[in-house]
C-alpha cells in the first residue's frame, strides 16, 4: 500500500525507541523504499506504524525547488507555516493546532531548538537545505522518545551521507535569478570499506522583497536583504563488523535585514549563528541481536539584533541571545524475534542527559530583559513493538523525565495498526501524552524591576489521540491507481503558561484544545503523472476565553503534481490555499492597532519548478515562486514575498 504525499514512514517507531545512533548510508538522490530503516535501524514497513510521518526526500527538495526549510514544510499536511517576510525572516510552524513552541526540531536525532528563545520555539526561516538528505515530519506527540517540546510534532533533519562503495563523488549546484538572488552548493563525499566522509558548503544571497504589506499608507517598499552560509563535515569509521564511530560538525550563519509593522524600518538587522557537533559510536553484541551505542552532542546558538535610531524612530535596539545545549545519550535496541503471540518483536531502552544554558540581554536600556541560567535533566526511556496474527501491529513506549528545577513528567504513547488486505486498507489507532518544560526565560528571566520569571512553573502537558484509515483504490488499470487517507486527531492542552493577572510574572493558567481531520488523495493515472491533494480542517479553542487560537486557520489545502513526460524532464507544480486565520493583534491600513479577535484574509500561493537532465550527472532547472504575485498575509501586516524566478544547474559526478 502506498501512502499519500509521496512518503509516509515509521512514525511511531520514532516515537517509541532511540534517537538515531546510526543510519545506513544512502545515495545522494535516493527515493526511500517502502520499508525504511528508522532511528533504531529496525526495518519497519510504512504500513505497519500507527501514525503519519511525511518524508521530504532529496529528490523532492530538488524537483520542487525548496531553498529553505520553511519552503519545504509549507505544504505538509496538518502543518501551518507562518513566515513574516521572505528568506531568513522569522518562520513558525503550527502542527495540528498546537503552538509553535510545541514543535521539536532535530538534526540527525539531536534537539536543536535554541534554549535562548524565550518560549523555546524554533525559527524555520534560517535553515538552507544543500546538505540535507531528507526531512521527516512526525505529527502527534513525541515526548515518549524526545522529551520536552514534542507535544504536537517532531521534525528531524537528516544530513547527506556518502553513497556505498563510491570512493569519491562530487555534488553541487549554482543558480541565480530575480531579486538579485544567487545560490550555490559544493560538496564531496565517498566511502571505502572502513571509512566514509562528506564535506559540503553552501550559500545564498538575495535582495529579497518588501515584507511589509503594501496596504499600509506609509509603506516605503523597502526590501530586506539576506545572506546565509553553512558548512558541514562528517567522517565515519567502521573498525569491525557491527561497530561504527562517527563525527559530525555543522556551522550555519545568516545575516538579514528585518522589518517592523506598520512602518518600515530602514536599519534593523539580525545575525544568527549556530555551531553543532556530535560524536557517536555503536557496536553489535550477541551476534547482532543487541546493539548498544553512545552519543555526545553540543549545540551553540548566538543571535544578535541591532537597530539604530533613524528618521522614522529614535528608539534603538541591541539584543544578544546565547544558548547552549549538551546532550549525552546511551541507547540500546534488542531484536527479540518471536515471543509468545508476538512476532518480529523488538525492545529499545536508554538514558538521555541534557544540559541547557542561556545568557540573554534584550530591550531598551530602561526596560532591559535578561536571562542567565542553567538547567539539567535526565530521562529513562523504553519501548516495545511486535506483530500478532500477521496483520495486527502493536507498539508502546514510556519515558520518565527528571529535572533539577521543575517537576518531571512521565510520557507514554501506544498504538495499533490493523491490516485489512481484503479491502486494500489499514486501520490506525494511537494515543499518547507529551509535555513542554518551562523555558529558562519563563523560569528565571527578568524585565527591569517589573517582571520576574516563575521558578515554580510546571510543564505544559497534552493528551492526544488519533484514528485513521488508508485505502488503495483500483483505478487506471492498477491496484493502487489512487490512495485515500483520512485521519481524525484530538488534543487537549493543560497547564499552558501565560502572564499572571498583574503581568509581573508567569503562571500555568491556560487550557486549550484542537481537533480536526487530515484528508489526502493521491492519483496515479499514468506512470509519468501523479497528483496529490491534502486538505487539513482544524478547530482550535482557548478553553478559558472560548476564542479560536491565533494563526490557526480552519482550512488549508495543498495541491501538487509531478509530471515526467520523458525520463529527462520533470515538471512540479504546487498550489497552497490557506483559509481565513484568526489574529489577536492586527493593524488597519492607516497603521492603527486593532485589538481583540480579527481575521486575516484567505490567500493562495502557486509555485512551479521544471528540471531537465542535460546529460548524465547534470540537470538544469528553473524555479518560479508565487507566480501570481499574491500579497497574501500569513501574519497580519507581513506579506508573502513577491514573484521570483531562479535558473541554474546541479551536478553529481
Amino acid at each position: 500500500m502506498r501512502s499519500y504525499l509521496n512518503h509516509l514512514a515509521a512514525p511511531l517507531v520514532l516515537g517509541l525507541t532511540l534517537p538515531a545512533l546510526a543510519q545506513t548510508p544512502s545515495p545522494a538522490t535516493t527515493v526511500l523504499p517502502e520499508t525504511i530503516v528508522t532511528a533504531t535501524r529496525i526495518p519497519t514497513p510504512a504500513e505497519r506504524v500507527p501514525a503519519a510521518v511525511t518524508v521530504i526526500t532529496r529528490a523532492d527538495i530538488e524537483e520542487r525547488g525548496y531553498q529553505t526549510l520553511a519552503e519545504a514544510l509549507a505544504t505538509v499536511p496538518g502543518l501551518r507555516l507562518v513566515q513574516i517576510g521572505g528568506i531568513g525572516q522569522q518562520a513558525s510552524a503550527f502542527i495540528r493546532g498546537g503552538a509553535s513552541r510545541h514543535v521539536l526540531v532535530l538534526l540527525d536525532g539531536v534537539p536543536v531548538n535554541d534554549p535562548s528563545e524565550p518560549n523555546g520555539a524554533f525559527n524555520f526561516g534560517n535553515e538552507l537545505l544543500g546538505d540535507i538528505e531528507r526531512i521527516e515530519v512526525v505529527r502527534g506527540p513525541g515526548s515518549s522518545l524526545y522529551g520536552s517540546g514534542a507535544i504536537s510534532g517532531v521534525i528531524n533533519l537528516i544530513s547527506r551521507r556518502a553513497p556505498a562503495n563510491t570512493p569519491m563523488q562530487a555534488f553541487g549546484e549554482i543558480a541565480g535569478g530575480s531579486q538579485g538572488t544567487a545560490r550555490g552548493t559544493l560538496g564531496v563525499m565517498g566511502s571505502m570499506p572502513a571509512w566514509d566522509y562528506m564535506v559540503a558548503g553552501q550559500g545564498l544571497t538575495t535582495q529579497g522583497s518588501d515584507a511589509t504589506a503594501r496596504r499600509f499608507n506609509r509603506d516605503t517598499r523597502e526590501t530586506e536583504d539576506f545572506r546565509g552560509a553553512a558548512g558541514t563535515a562528517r567522517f565515519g569509521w567502521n573498525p569491525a563488523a557491527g561497530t561504527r564511530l562517527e563525527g559530525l560538525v555543522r556551522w550555519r550563519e545568516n545575516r538579514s535585514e528585518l522589518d517592523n509593522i506598520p512602518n518600515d524600518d530602514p536599519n534593523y538587522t539580525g545575525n544568527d549563528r549556530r555551531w553543532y557537533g556530535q560524536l557517536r559510536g555503536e557496536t553489535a553484541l550477541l551476534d547482532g541481536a543487541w546493539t548498544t551505542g553512545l552519543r555526545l552532542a553540543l549545540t551553540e546558538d548566538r543571535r544578535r539584533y541591532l537597530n539604530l535610531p533613524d528618521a522614522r524612530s529614535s528608539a534603538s535596539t541591541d539584543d544578544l541571545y546565547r544558548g547552549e545545549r549538551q546532550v549525552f545519550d546511551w541507547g540500546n535496541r534488542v531484536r527479540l524475534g518471536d515471543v509468545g503471540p508476538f512476532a518480529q518483536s523488538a525492545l529499545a531502552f536508554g538514558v538521555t542527559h541534557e544540559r541547557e544554558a542561556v545568557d540573554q540581554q534584550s530591550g531598551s536600556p530602561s526596560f532591559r530583559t535578561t536571562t542567565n541560567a542553567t538547567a539539567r535533566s535526565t530521562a529513562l526511556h523504553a519501548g516495545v513493538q511486535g506483530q500478532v496474527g500477521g496483520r495486527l501491529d502493536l507498539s508502546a513506549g514510556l519515558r520518565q523525565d527528571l529535572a533539577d528545577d521543575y517537576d518531571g513528567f512521565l510520557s507514554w504513547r501506544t498504538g495499533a495498526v490493523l491490516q485489512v488486505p481484503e479491502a486494500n486498507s489499514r486501520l490506525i489507532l494511537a494515543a499518547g501524552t507529551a509535555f513542554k518544560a518551562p523555558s529558562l526565560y519563563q523560569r528565571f528571566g527578568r524585565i527591569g524591576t517589573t517582571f520576574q520569571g516563575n521558578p515554580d512553573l510546571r510543564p505544559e502537558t497534552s493528551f492526544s489521540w488519533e484514528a485513521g484509515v488508508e485505502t488503495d483504490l483500483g483505478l487506471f488499470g492498477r491496484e493502487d491507481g489512487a490512495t485515500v487517507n483520512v485521519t481524525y486527531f484530538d488534543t487537549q492542552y493543560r497547564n499552558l503558561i501565560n502572564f499572571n493577572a498583574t503581568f509581573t510574572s508567569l503562571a500555568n493558567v491556560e487550557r486549550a484544545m484542537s481537533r480536526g481531520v487530515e484528508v489526502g488523495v493521491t492519483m496515479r493515472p499514468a506512470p509519468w503523472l501523479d497528483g496529490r491533494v491534502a486538505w487539513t480542517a482544524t478547530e482550535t479553542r482557548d478553553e478559558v476565553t472560548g476564542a479560536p487560537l491565533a494563526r490557526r486557520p480552519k482550512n488549508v489545502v495543498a495541491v501538487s503534481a509531478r509530471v515526467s513526460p520523458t525520463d529527462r524532464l520533470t515538471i512540479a507544480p504546487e498550489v497552497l490555499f490557506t483559509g481565513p486565520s484568526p489574529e489577536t493583534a492586527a493593524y488597519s491600513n492607516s497603521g492603527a492597532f486593532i485589538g481583540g479577535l480579527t481575521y486575516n484574509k484567505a490567500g493562495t500561493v502557486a509555485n512551479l519548478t521544471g528540471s531537465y537532465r542535460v546529460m548524465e550527472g547534470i540537470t538544469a532547472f528553473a524555479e518560479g515562486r508565487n507566480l501570481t504575485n499574491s500579497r497574501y498575509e500569513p501574519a497580519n501586516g507581513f506579506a508573502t514575498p513577491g514573484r521570483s524566478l531562479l535558473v541554474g544547474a546541479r551536478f553529481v559526478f
Side-chain angles (χ1 to χ4, degrees), residues 521-535:
V521 179
T522 300
M523 307 290 287
R524 308 178 186 91
W528 52 271
L529 173 64
D530 65 75
R532 307 176 189 90
V533 178
W535 169 44

Side-chain angles (χ1 to χ4, degrees), residues 446-470:
R446 287 179 173 271
I447 302 178
T449 59
T450 63
F451 174 89
Q452 170 70 54
N454 183 358
D456 297 324
L457 286 171
R458 292 167 290 158
E460 299 179 319
T461 64
S462 73
F463 169 74
S464 302
W465 68 275
E466 61 187 276
V469 58
E470 184 178 274

Side-chain angles (χ1 to χ4, degrees), residues 83 85-86 209-211 605 626 630-634 638-643:
Q83 187 162 17
S209 61
D210 182 17
V605 177
N626 192 11
S630 168
R631 298 298 293 176
Y632 157 67
E633 298 176 25
F638 292 97
T640 300
R643 182 190 298 116

Side-chain angles (χ1 to χ4, degrees), residues 64-83:
R64 301 199 172 276
Y66 298 143
Q67 300 184 94
T68 66
L69 180 59
E71 292 179 353
L73 297 177
T75 60
V76 170
L79 186 153
R80 201 269 169 125
L81 199 288
V82 179
Q83 187 162 17

Side-chain angles (χ1 to χ4, degrees), residues 622-652:
E623 303 168 359
R625 307 200 70 80
N626 192 11
L627 299 179
T628 63
N629 207 32
S630 168
R631 298 298 293 176
Y632 157 67
E633 298 176 25
N636 187 272
F638 292 97
T640 300
R643 182 190 298 116
S644 65
L645 175 65
L646 205 69
V647 296
R650 68 178 61 94
F651 66 87
V652 178

Side-chain angles (χ1 to χ4, degrees), residues 165-183:
N165 305 315
T166 304
M168 187 178 73
Q169 182 182 85
F171 63 91
E173 71 171 26
I174 186 170
S178 57
Q179 300 173 353
T181 301
R183 185 179 84 212

Side-chain angles (χ1 to χ4, degrees), residues 25-28 58 107-108 129-134 157-164 166-172 185-192 195-202 230-237 244 246-251 276:
S26 58
R58 185 71 222 165
L107 178 58
D108 288 332
L129 301 178
D131 61 342
I132 299 300
E133 179 68 26
R134 71 182 188 270
L157 310 180
I158 300 171
S159 54
R160 295 172 84 151
R161 279 150 166 57
T166 304
M168 187 178 73
Q169 182 182 85
F171 63 91
T185 299
L186 182 62
V188 61
M189 55 188 176
S191 60
M192 289 153 279
W195 296 88
D196 57 84
Y197 64 94
M198 190 277 291
V199 179
Q202 58 186 313
T232 306
R234 169 187 283 105
F235 296 92
W237 179 40
R244 177 172 176 80
E246 183 176 281
L248 171 69
V249 176
R250 188 178 194 261
W251 160 84
Y276 166 91

